[in-house]
Amino acid sequence: MNKDNETYLKLFWRGGSSSYYHRRHHHHKAKNNYKKSSVIVVASTLIVLFCIAVATLFASVPWNQWVFADLSIARQNGTQEEFALRCSNNLEKNETETCGREYPTSHKPRKNPLMCPSYFTWIHEDLKPWRETGITREMVEGAKRTSHFRVVILSGKLYVEKYRESIQTRDMFTLWGMLQLLRWYPGMVPDLELLFDCDDRPVLPRDMFQGPNAVSPPPPLFRYCSDHSSFDIVFPDWSFWGWAEINIKPWRDTLREIKQGNKKMKWKDRVPYAYWKGNPNVVSTRKDLLKCNVTDKNDWNTRLYIQDWEQESNEGYKSSNLGDQCRHRYKIYIEGWAWSVSEKYILACDSMNLYVTPKFYDFFIRGMQPLQHYWPIRDTTMCTSLKFAVEWGNNHTHEAQAIGEAASKFIHEDLSMEYVYDYMFHLLNEYAKLLRFKPTIPQGAVEYCPETMACSQQGNWRKFMEDSMVNSPSHSYPCTIPPPFDPSTLEAILHTKHNLTNQVQSWEDEYWRNKL
């Protein structure tokens, strides 16, 4: 506001004449400024009245109602109330923890879904055997023979009927993961009933359930890995929520540590050899791998070490931190008794992964390609195959580094914990659509919740559960699952992988012919 208008308003509020203004300006200009000033006066009056009303309202409403209103506004602005683990400290000897009922039973995320990574498409393939027939209760019961537990989800609650103990605490952390899914997407996981086998190898051979001699439709059975000649349904393994027995932290924390470890040493400065460390006594192929270690007579460009978990435990796991194992340009993945949990940790390291021909697959590896994410290694001639791979990489450093970084990017982005939950959600959701019976709670089943699972645990078991616990629902909807493969697309994917593997083997053969 200029000085003339200030003078005019002073005269106006005093009830004085406007002749002073007319003596210095034209009449029409004074009229326009008068209108503008009137608007300002009216607005100022309204603001004063509004402030008086708000002050009166604050005085009449209890303070705690304003606190709850603030919480509601905070949720709308992107923050959420958290529900941490609540354990009773004064239970009697015969008493057990009870499940809290404070956690939301429904939730409407604010963010729209993204498209899921391509490996989600394999969900449709894994459930394809039941696409036409659906899944009956008789089919489910057919998988009970090898199952460790039955899971029933009803109205967002988890009920478990256990049949036998698993290796270590695989079953416990798998169930903990399912419970976290229900907390991540409360009220969104459909009612269902399934059976789970925590052992390593698949048990449903396709030739038993296909063709004219098929005994019956295959029973649906969930486990951590399968192969191309089996019908077992793959599910994320227990270690995503922590492997307490060998001090491997939950996936979110481990992934963060590996990412920090990747920054400690540039790729060009890393040791230019192929690294592996593990237990060779679980399968003959790993024992064969150790024959490829450096000796006085041969150097196969490898540095191989035996992992002694008992010694590691006694020494506090000082030399087994996954974040410190990204110091070599090349890392070897080789299966154990079946697929190995180590796969995702090796692929996350920025190192070019030397992938020894696998027999099994987990839920995400089918989304990765040879020469893009890993370098295929023959399992029949590992030593010569490994030596050539390292020679090729050291002579093509840019390409080798790109392969390692592409795999690492895939693991850090497409295998984030959010996508692990999305994969679980879509797998269970598509499975539930196939059920031709109403899930019911078995007589011997028990409701599982954070309090009943975690409060009685100690050490790493308790810590890893607390560290991996979902304390509030997701901000986003689950990603959008891609449609099923059409036959030609699936054939093209498999054909491409086969051709790329053959291409590497052709280069390898030529390399050794020229060495003769």
Side-chain angles (χ1 to χ4, degrees), residues 150-370:
R150 181 192 304 266
V151 162
V152 178
I153 295 176
L154 284 179
S155 301
K157 296 179 182 178
L158 183 73
Y159 302 89
V160 180
E161 183 183 28
K162 294 192 71 173
Y163 302 127
R164 58 193 180 100
E165 295 299 320
S166 72
I167 299 171
Q168 297 176 338
T169 48
R170 292 182 179 187
D171 55 351
M172 183 169 69
F173 277 92
T174 300
L175 291 166
W176 178 258
M178 292 184 183
L179 182 60
Q180 302 320 301
L181 172 66
L182 298 181
R183 291 168 67 86
W184 189 241
Y185 291 127
M188 298 176 67
V189 180
D191 293 351
L192 59 87
E193 191 170 337
L194 63 83
L195 292 175
F196 204 105
D197 185 337
C198 299
D199 287 339
D200 289 321
R201 291 187 172 181
V203 295
L204 300 175
R206 288 177 180 263
D207 55 10
M208 183 182 295
F209 304 100
Q210 285 182 329
N213 298 322
V215 295
S216 63
L221 179 63
F222 289 74
R223 70 179 332 105
Y224 308 122
C225 77
S226 189
D227 59 33
H228 298 291
S229 60
S230 301
F231 279 128
D232 301 65
I233 303 168
V234 292
F235 193 86
D237 71 83
W238 74 95
S239 66
F240 282 98
W241 298 272
W243 191 349
E245 285 81 5
I246 59 173
N247 198 44
I248 292 182
K249 299 175 184 178
W251 181 233
R252 201 185 301 274
D253 296 332
T254 299
L255 203 57
R256 187 183 305 115
E257 290 183 357
I258 294 176
K259 189 171 185 178
Q260 293 171 352
N262 283 337
K263 298 177 182 178
K264 293 179 181 178
M265 186 177 295
K266 294 181 179 179
W267 195 90
K268 67 182 181 63
D269 298 326
R270 295 187 180 189
V271 181
Y273 295 106
Y275 172 90
W276 180 82
K277 187 175 184 178
N279 179 7
N281 298 319
V282 293
V283 68
S284 60
T285 51
R286 287 193 174 186
K287 293 179 180 179
D288 291 338
L289 173 63
L290 286 183
K291 297 175 184 177
C292 303
N293 219 340
V294 60
T295 66
D296 294 336
K297 296 181 179 180
N298 293 306
D299 187 352
W300 300 107
N301 292 337
T302 61
R303 299 296 183 265
L304 313 174
Y305 304 91
I306 296 175
Q307 178 72 291
D308 186 336
W309 284 112
E310 184 175 353
Q311 180 180 345
E312 280 296 305
S313 176
N314 294 334
E315 296 177 355
Y317 301 99
K318 293 180 181 179
S319 61
S320 59
N321 182 17
L322 294 170
D324 295 332
Q325 296 187 21
C326 300
R327 300 172 181 173
H328 291 72
R329 291 184 182 179
Y330 314 96
K331 295 196 72 173
I332 301 168
Y333 170 76
I334 185 169
E335 293 177 332
W337 180 243
W339 125 103
S340 174
V341 167
S342 65
E343 181 184 51
K344 56 184 176 288
Y345 309 123
I346 293 171
L347 288 164
C349 229
D350 276 1
S351 304
M352 186 171 90
N353 183 246
L354 309 183
Y355 204 86
V356 179
T357 306
K359 294 182 176 64
F360 306 95
Y361 57 79
D362 59 16
F363 73 100
F364 68 85
I365 192 62
R366 291 172 290 180
M368 306 184 85
Q369 287 277 13

Side-chain angles (χ1 to χ4, degrees), residues 421-459:
Y421 284 128
D422 281 3
Y423 190 93
M424 295 163 63
F425 173 84
H426 284 300
L427 176 59
L428 296 181
N429 189 53
E430 295 299 320
Y431 170 82
K433 292 177 183 178
L434 299 172
L435 296 183
R436 299 295 180 261
F437 64 94
K438 186 176 181 180
T440 57
I441 304 172
Q443 187 174 359
V446 176
E447 182 184 354
Y448 276 41
C449 64
E451 291 78 15
T452 60
M453 290 197 72
C455 290
S456 61
Q457 300 299 320
Q458 296 178 345

